[in-house]
Amino acid sequence: MLFTHKLIKYPVRYFRKEFKIHVLFDFLLYPTVSVIINKLTKNDKPLVIIYKIILFIFPMFLIELWAEKKTNLIRWRRPWKWYHTLLSLTVKSVLNRLMIGAIRALDEKVGKSS
């Protein structure tokens, strides 16, 4: 979505003709981190979940910030700034965790009634 609105540009990327996104991040890194977050926060309370999400997202954000400043792998375009990336990754991860938590709760409820 950000690529479609030209807020982020990936000058160097794999499968340039097939995908407009950054394949490694969108298909490998972020989903893997999401699975790890969901596994590690399975029995945690909401504030602990948010704390752990930030602990996982912040290093990814720092790598992206470094890549934007020092390499040609990513370019943020106006009006996109570093804090938009940090906030969007955090919110996306929290929403992901909420959905997985709701699915788990529903699964438990259905499992108990069977």
Side-chain angles (χ1 to χ4, degrees), residues 28-42:
L28 182 65
L29 180 64
Y30 187 75
T32 303
V33 169
S34 293
V35 168
I36 293 169
I37 288 171
N38 281 299
K39 284 296 217 179
L40 291 177
T41 61
K42 183 177 180 181

Side-chain angles (χ1 to χ4, degrees), residues 31-107:
T32 303
V33 169
S34 293
V35 168
I36 293 169
I37 288 171
N38 281 299
K39 284 296 217 179
L40 291 177
T41 61
K42 183 177 180 181
N43 300 316
D44 292 336
K45 297 195 183 290
L47 287 177
V48 176
I49 292 170
I50 292 171
Y51 175 74
K52 286 182 179 180
I53 287 173
I54 291 170
L55 285 176
F56 273 92
I57 294 303
F58 200 72
M60 284 190 341
F61 161 72
L62 289 177
I63 292 168
E64 185 173 325
L65 181 63
W66 172 83
E68 198 275 333
K69 299 287 183 197
K70 302 289 184 183
T71 72
N72 195 31
L73 296 174
I74 185 171
R75 291 283 173 243
W76 295 329
R77 297 193 165 186
R78 287 195 171 99
W80 198 259
K81 301 287 184 201
W82 64 268
Y83 48 86
H84 293 116
T85 296
L86 182 59
L87 183 64
S88 66
L89 282 173
T90 304
V91 169
K92 182 178 176 182
S93 296
V94 168
L95 291 174
N96 180 330
R97 178 56 181 84
L98 280 171
M99 287 192 318
I100 295 298
I103 291 169
R104 281 185 182 140
L106 185 62
D107 184 51

